[in-house]
């Protein structure tokens, strides 16, 4: 889809609209996280974030229901299972 638009921002805006995603910023965040998870961008991977969450035992964890490579519901279940 990118060749149809002059910039990544224009592409993300168009895709967010077509998919009915609330804001283009949400989709941009997912794209950035997918790039990190694939090793194409520096940052903390989804797996590293989940492990840190498990180790730190936060009182509250907020996350998107829809995430690249998974979803918040499954991630919350995995965290709960890991904590016992």
């Amino acid at each position: 889809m990118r060749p149809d638009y002059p910039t990544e921002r224009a592409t993300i805006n168009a895709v967010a609209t077509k998919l009915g995603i609330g804001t283009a910023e949400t989709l941009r965040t997912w794209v950035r996280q997918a790039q990190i998870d694939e090793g194409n961008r520096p940052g903390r991977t989804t797996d590293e974030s989940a492990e840190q969450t498990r180790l730190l035992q936060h009182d509250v964890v907020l996350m998107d229901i829809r995430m690249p490579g998974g979803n918040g519901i499954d991630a919350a279940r995995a965290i709960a299972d890991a904590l016992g």
Side-chain angles (χ1 to χ4, degrees), residues 34 37 46 67-71:
D37 289 346
T46 300
M67 301 183 320
N71 67 64

Side-chain angles (χ1 to χ4, degrees), residues 7-19:
T7 64
E8 182 180 70
R9 182 182 182 117
T11 303
I12 288 173
N13 286 337
V15 170
T17 299
K18 288 180 183 182
L19 295 177

Side-chain angles (χ1 to χ4, degrees), residues 18-53:
K18 288 180 183 182
L19 295 177
I21 295 172
T23 67
E25 180 61 20
T26 298
L27 182 58
R28 187 195 68 77
T29 301
W30 294 345
V31 168
R32 295 291 178 265
Q33 189 61 55
Q35 291 168 337
I36 292 167
D37 289 346
E38 293 166 357
N40 297 324
R41 186 179 193 90
R44 184 179 298 150
T45 67
T46 300
D47 289 341
E48 290 168 339
S49 294
E51 179 64 10
Q52 181 183 18
T53 300

